[in-house]
Amino acid sequence: MMEGSLGIKHFFRFFAAAACTVLLLALCACAPDGTSSPVSSSATEGVFSESAAQSIPAPESASGEGAQALSLLPADAANIQPDAVPEFLTADQQELYRAAYYLYYHFDVSSGFAFDTIDENSPFIVGDTGRSYYQDTGFANYSAFRTALDCVFTSNFADSLIDKYQNYIKGDDGLLYFSFGDRGGNIFYKSSEFSRISETADEIRFQLIGHYDEAGPGGSASSSPCTETCEVKLVNTENGWRFAGFAMAY
């Protein structure tokens, strides 16, 4: 009778050990490198639309409006950045400033985010003003382009950029189209600095001061460098901080 009891006890001990092993394995999901990682039901959250494949990742140093805006921009945004940002802005507001600089650059200095080589055989559409517009592949469609604008600028300021420059339109197919209108940069530009005018919980106003040094006769250096000043305004909207006015010294 004692031997039968011992056999039953050994059987239950083996069964309990096996059950614990199975339970432990079920609680862990193994990553490809062999490390364990928890399985999350929100693994697909934060994934953008098809335009995400063309976007640069949000910087680790910021996690607000600026980081979100940068993540919506085409990949070349990392190559078109200001040589200075206002030090008195927060880290995320500085990222928002970089996003604004990139978008404003493509209105004021050079139009077209990404496009194939344009020649006389390239397909185009004609806008209301008679200008020719070519497909811009920098954004997946016009809606993605407008979303990026609205994440950086106030709606009124974004509308004013579109109306003033008239270098981007929406095609009947919903895609983004651009028209050439490059003015180029100021060849005498040297550097920029910023001076804060005022700051409240709802608005930040500051001056952008551009420094220039025009060449004299025969290419000699000018004896009288000059500066130009523009005002930039950042407002706190119901959707977060947005630029209600912007400028470039370049």
Side-chain angles (χ1 to χ4, degrees):
M1 187 68 177
M2 181 68 69
E3 292 178 356
S5 298
L6 289 174
I8 293 173
K9 289 180 179 180
H10 285 308
F11 171 78
F12 279 112
R13 287 174 181 172
F14 173 80
F15 178 82
C20 289
T21 300
V22 172
L23 179 60
L24 181 61
L25 290 174
L27 291 175
C28 294
C30 292
D33 59 359
T35 59
S36 61
S37 58
V39 178
S40 172
S41 61
S42 60
T44 59
E45 292 181 2
V47 177
F48 290 99
S49 63
E50 55 188 317
S51 63
Q54 307 167 2
S55 302
I56 58 174
E60 295 180 358
S61 61
S63 58
E65 292 90 9
Q68 179 186 3
L70 283 175
S71 72
L72 297 175
L73 302 182
D76 74 325
N79 302 322
I80 303 177
Q81 292 295 307
D83 54 2
V85 296
E87 294 183 356
F88 46 80
L89 297 180
T90 67
D92 194 64
Q93 289 169 346
Q94 290 176 349
E95 300 301 333
L96 191 66
Y97 182 89
R98 292 186 174 94
Y101 181 95
Y102 173 81
L103 290 172
Y104 192 86
Y105 175 96
H106 284 87
F107 280 96
D108 190 54
V109 178
S110 178
S111 57
F113 296 93
F115 49 89
D116 297 328
T117 301
I118 305 297
D119 56 33
E120 65 274 9
N121 298 318
S122 299
F124 63 91
I125 62 175
V126 178
D128 294 338
T129 60
R131 295 171 64 176
S132 298
Y133 291 81
Y134 302 88
Q135 184 179 347
D136 192 323
T137 57
F139 290 91
N141 47 47
Y142 188 88
S143 178
F145 164 68
R146 182 66 204 215
T147 296
L149 290 181
D150 289 336
C151 282
V152 175
F153 305 116
T154 62
S155 293
N156 286 340
F157 189 65
D159 288 342
S160 71
L161 291 176
I162 293 173
D163 292 341
K164 175 182 177 181
Y165 293 95
Q166 298 186 8
N167 44 10
Y168 298 100
I169 64 172
K170 179 180 181 180
D172 292 338
D173 53 8
L175 300 179
L176 174 66
Y177 288 81
F178 82 99
S179 179
F180 289 105
D182 300 3
R183 71 162 175 83
N186 190 324
I187 61 174
F188 303 117
Y189 170 78
K190 295 301 179 183
S191 62
S192 297
E193 63 176 325
F194 307 90
S195 176
R196 180 167 43 193
I197 300 173
S198 63
E199 180 175 355
T200 67
D202 298 318
E203 180 185 275
I204 302 173
R205 294 170 57 237
F206 58 92
Q207 289 182 328
L208 165 64
I209 306 170
H211 295 271
Y212 308 88
D213 189 5
E214 295 190 18
S220 60
S222 171
S223 59
S224 57
C226 61
T227 61
E228 291 185 5
T229 302
C230 301
E231 183 173 324
V232 179
K233 185 192 301 185
L234 191 60
V235 296
N236 195 3
T237 72
E238 60 181 5
N239 297 316
W241 288 97
R242 300 290 188 271
F243 282 96
F246 201 81
M248 289 181 62
Y250 178 71

